[in-house]
Amino acid sequence: MTNAWKQLDVAVIGGGLGGLAAGLALRRAGHKVRIYERYDYGGEIGSSISVAANGGKWLHEWGVDVKKAKPVILTKLIRHNWESGEIEGVYPFGDYEKLFGYPYYNVHRKDLHDLLQRVVVSPDGEGTPCELILKHKAVVVDYETGHIKFENGEETSAELIVAADGIRTTTKAQLGITPTFGTSNSCCYHLLMRRADLIANGLTDFSVEKAIEFWGGDDKNKIVLSSCSDGEIISCYCFYAATAADTRDGWHNSATRDELFQVLKKNLDPKIADAFAKVSFDIKQWRLYVHEPLPYFYKTSRKGDVGVCLLGDAAHAMMPDQSQGAVAAFEDAGALGYIFSKEFIENTGVVPSLAGGLKLYESERMPRVTKIQAASLRARENLKERIGWSTDGVDSPDKLTIEEVCGYEPKTHMDGLAREILRA
Ligand SMILES: Cc1cc2nc3c(=O)[nH]c(=O)nc-3n(C[C@H](O)[C@H](O)[C@H](O)COP(=O)(O)OP(=O)(O)OC[C@H]3O[C@@H](n4cnc5c(N)ncnc54)[C@H](O)[C@@H]3O)c2cc1C
């Protein structure tokens, strides 16, 4: 039956974490993949990203040696009192790896991005290496013909186009979806600190706990701290209530320590305030946006021989408060790779058409990411909603649990859906 499997000619638009993951997943499944990125990667942002087991599972499946991204393995969540720094709660991950199959990684996103870039084009590992084509900004994507036009005048076409063009996706509109989003009432400063600088200045070594540590979180004000790069770098997100002055957009808005302290709620724990005042660097300010769930994730041509689907932030941009945006993009990529693989045909006895496969992709991804999106928004102002803390923090049928997020079995779920949807 796997004889009926067909190799697809795939173009991925966007070479962020989601696009690279999609390229890798489809390469591993046997397809021919080109990834088009508008930039040359000079400005990849420096911040940490936690990769829970539901994302790590796919990285391992694709043969990514995550150790090369110098991860810190997270062991717990810690909540501090904003003013005194006293510990008010600990959520130990306990046997996390045993329970969910993979560790809870914390990496510098540049390290992970660099690693994925190397792996997608590497001659080692299964599948034909992806072509990674930089300085190609897609301006026209036609789901009827599979035709793509780039700003530099070049053109190409593909059977399957994966639009991983991020939160400001322009492909979405070309699929007939009117973006519905608005500015969030929160903004964020991000900063880094070197472990060596903390120690040299007699400050607290925040890498010791191997935890995600929170200060505040009962309103819009929240500091989220964690270490990455083998513990050498400490990364901090400082969320605060947006004001009329917060109009700057983009990922590269440099800011000063003075600007940071102007927005931080007063009387911050002196341990962390001192560290910010003395050794913080690479301070950036980010505006946050609230995105509504989309009505659909893909379109196919009338004949069904060409399809365009959205992936990652292009499909489901979310507040960062569940640390699941990139992980959800890895899940999207994993789903696409699995649905169009020989393994899927063996497991289900179903040979999906392009249109059928994309229908299954949407059916599997949409309810899951919509729930995570909603829980991320709630966690923006209520730390009790964050997975881990949510175990005892909230009692609501909508609550997101660490078990459903990290212990998710995507292939089993897709196999079941395939029987319902594709055999119906
Ligand atoms: C404060 C904060 C903290 C976060 N922390 C976490 C975390 O701990 N864990 C987690 O899982 N997630 C986290 N996230 C979310 C995560 O960063 C995103 O969900 C993830 O990076 C999305 O990846 P993407 O590839 O979909 O989009 P992007 O990273 O935005 O990549 C899109 C790419 O497409 C390119 N592109 C855009 N348009 C075009 C075009 N027309 N043609 C060609 N290329 C194009 C862009 O240049 C870019 O390289 C956080 C987000 C924020 C804001």
Side-chain angles (χ1 to χ4, degrees), residues 51 83 85 87 159 172 219 258 265 342 402:
V51 181
E83 294 190 5
I87 294 181
E159 287 171 283
K172 195 155 71 179
D219 55 16
D258 281 350
K265 202 165 86 176
K342 288 182 188 156
I402 196 163

Side-chain angles (χ1 to χ4, degrees), residues 14 18 37-38 49-50 109 136 138 165 237 286 313 320 323 325-327:
E37 164 58 39
R38 66 180 161 174
I49 192 158
S50 63
R109 56 184 298 146
H136 275 61
D165 50 346
Y237 295 98
W286 298 333
D313 277 8
S323 309
V327 169

Side-chain angles (χ1 to χ4, degrees), residues 86-114:
E86 230 166 86
I87 294 181
E88 292 181 330
V90 176
Y91 180 85
F93 289 142
D95 279 346
Y96 184 91
E97 185 169 354
K98 214 163 152 196
L99 272 174
F100 303 126
Y102 300 91
Y104 203 141
Y105 295 115
N106 208 52
V107 293
H108 196 295
R109 56 184 298 146
K110 186 174 182 332
D111 291 336
L112 184 58
H113 193 266
D114 286 352

Side-chain angles (χ1 to χ4, degrees), residues 182-203:
T183 48
S184 148
N185 53 20
S186 303
C187 273
C188 175
Y189 275 90
H190 179 265
L191 60 89
L192 297 174
M193 299 186 283
R194 286 183 199 88
R195 177 172 174 266
D197 292 342
L198 290 168
I199 293 169
N201 285 275
L203 298 161

Side-chain angles (χ1 to χ4, degrees), residues 156-170:
T156 190
S157 58
E159 287 171 283
L160 172 61
I161 299 173
V162 181
D165 50 346
I167 199 158
R168 287 294 159 85
T169 167
T170 49

Side-chain angles (χ1 to χ4, degrees), residues 225-300:
L225 173 151
S226 59
S227 61
C228 57
S229 294
D230 287 336
E232 293 305 319
I233 296 286
I234 320 296
S235 161
C236 286
Y237 295 98
C238 307
F239 297 95
Y240 67 97
T243 69
D246 291 311
T247 52
R248 293 195 296 175
D249 222 342
W251 298 107
H252 302 287
N253 299 315
S254 294
T256 63
R257 288 177 187 166
D258 281 350
E259 285 171 311
L260 167 71
F261 276 100
Q262 271 168 33
V263 301
L264 285 180
K265 202 165 86 176
K266 298 299 166 223
N267 302 325
L268 174 61
D269 171 7
K271 279 204 203 84
I272 190 152
D274 275 0
F276 285 179
K278 290 180 180 145
V279 300
S280 60
F281 69 100
D282 198 17
I283 306 176
K284 296 269 163 39
Q285 189 211 24
W286 298 333
R287 192 89 180 80
L288 300 175
Y289 291 86
V290 180
H291 288 249
E292 297 295 328
L294 303 187
Y296 49 89
F297 279 5
Y298 75 97
K299 276 257 177 169
T300 56

Side-chain angles (χ1 to χ4, degrees), residues 31 38 74 105 158 202 219 265 270 280 287 303 317 364 378 385 417:
H31 304 288
R38 66 180 161 174
L74 297 169
Y105 295 115
D219 55 16
K265 202 165 86 176
S280 60
R287 192 89 180 80
K303 277 187 359 205
E364 190 269 331
R378 293 198 304 274
E385 291 271 4
L417 279 176

